[in-house]
Amino acid sequence: MSNFKRKTNLENVNKTSKWDIVIIGGGATGLGIAVDAASRGFKTLLLEKYDFAKATSSRSTKLVHGGVRYLANGDIKLVYSALHERGLIFQNAPHLAKIQSFIIPCYTFFSKWKYLIGLKIYDWMAGAYRIGTSRFLSSSQVVSKLHAVKQDNLKGGIIYYDGQFDDSRFAINLAQTANSLDATILNYCDVNAIHKDTNGQVCGVSFTDLESNQNFEVKAKTVINATGIFVDDILKLESPVHKNLVRPSQGTHIVIDKKFLGEEDALMIPETNDGRVLFGVPWHDHILLGTTDTPLDIHTIEPRPLEEEVDFILETAKNYLNPAPTRADILSVFAGLRPLAAPDESNPASTKEISRDHKLISSKSGLITITGGKWTTYRKMAEDTVNEAIQIGKLNTAPCITKTLKIHGYLQEKQQGHWQIYGSDAKLIQELAQKDPNLSQKIHPKFDYIAAEVVWAVRNEMARCLEDVLARRIRMLFLDAKAAMEAAPLVVQIMSKELEQSKTWEEEQLAQFLILCKNYTYDS
């Protein structure tokens, strides 16, 4: 097992005179780059201001997919690439990703044929990585699979297959994978300056450890800006006159009881009234409904779902489900930000989404910025970015090996319940509980999570605060915000003991977490 310890990694910073690659940002993109760079033998440092996957990378629709919507828009290249990357995720992280069936209810005969033809093309494009065959379903078959689907004028449906995963768990396993390959991975480290040499070329960064307030200055052959919606903030450190590349768009999801959909099959609504696709996806024994697309003028690390977004999701669901969920049925609601191209000065009201195919930008100073993309294509984004870093930093050429690199926790054998997402680590967590009966207790009666998982998250997954555990290591905040609030006092006590913290720390953590939970609760 890798020594994924924050203290050890901070010590590595002081021991290293110069890094080949310094990555700013610990979401899907940055962590993927760290895995790729370290696997090629480059001396790699990753710095994340908050926790891993704190922002967009923990707030997705939890799909590993080619993007049916992008196929409809004619973005063939992106879909083809994403379907192949989907296959590699299934191959390299079978504990984290699984095949998910999706059903499109059809209320006209024309729509049945239209969607089936499109999805047959989708299947074909996956090639050797095909995971299922799209086909017609009769009305009775649709109802038997989605028992709450509206039956008036139902003409049948289409079933197709895509992937589903747990985003922040994947991010943690990527961090552990990179660490096991000798990358130095740190959360809660705020990069506050980018340094240039006498030739105006980027040669390092300064950052502050937000736990100790200690300042560090590191030298680097290349620096990569992989901060997602925050790329402009870093670019302004490099050039104060930088004009924004992105404008945020918010996507909101609600979480409801599984009774509204069923146990196995997901719902796909291909045409909402705003032109987006909306999904109802089984996830951790609950149902995730989303997403929206709301342009915003500001970006924030903890976006708040808007009233109209929640109304839109519920109204759309009402057109397809009977009974349909109401506001009173919402267990948790969360929002994430995605990048839009910044408005043109001649038309400041216009917004145009950056292609979900990624973009690489190299500044004159040598700062590399990666933006766009999506979770499914994280590995390809990383490969392209490290290839660019080799050119910019004049690093030794080394081939990419991540197409066959197994992700931490790799386990083909399927495990019961929530233990599946831990892969090979599940046995080690269960052994902790066997050695100490106190660690076998549930942290909340509605969930199967136990105290040993909290201890594991602190010892082996670099969880530093209450939110890290209940939002991203254990997904309770995203599944049932009120249950997370109820579990918090026990969890913070366990963490305080592990981290050797004071009673004051516990009280501060609880107070901060309860404030955060208000963003995730939705009172009718």
Side-chain angles (χ1 to χ4, degrees), residues 448-513:
D448 290 332
Y449 303 124
I450 61 175
E453 293 172 73
V454 180
V455 171
W456 180 266
V458 174
R459 291 182 187 176
N460 300 292
E461 296 181 346
M462 218 180 278
R464 307 299 297 173
C465 67
L466 189 52
E467 180 195 341
D468 295 349
V469 172
L470 286 173
R472 288 174 293 278
R473 308 307 186 278
I474 292 170
R475 304 312 303 271
M476 195 183 291
L477 179 60
F478 283 76
L479 296 168
D480 189 328
K482 289 180 180 177
M485 293 167 71
E486 292 163 359
L490 173 60
V491 173
V492 82
Q493 285 178 22
I494 298 168
M495 292 188 70
S496 181
K497 182 180 177 182
E498 282 297 312
L499 292 167
E500 299 180 344
Q501 294 284 2
S502 65
K503 192 71 178 175
T504 301
W505 181 86
E506 289 184 34
E507 292 168 354
E508 290 173 348
Q509 283 290 307
L510 269 176
Q512 291 169 12
F513 186 71

Side-chain angles (χ1 to χ4, degrees), residues 278-291:
L278 192 134
F279 292 97
V281 185
W283 188 62
H284 290 309
D285 220 27
H286 291 69
I287 299 298
L288 188 74
L289 278 177
T291 181

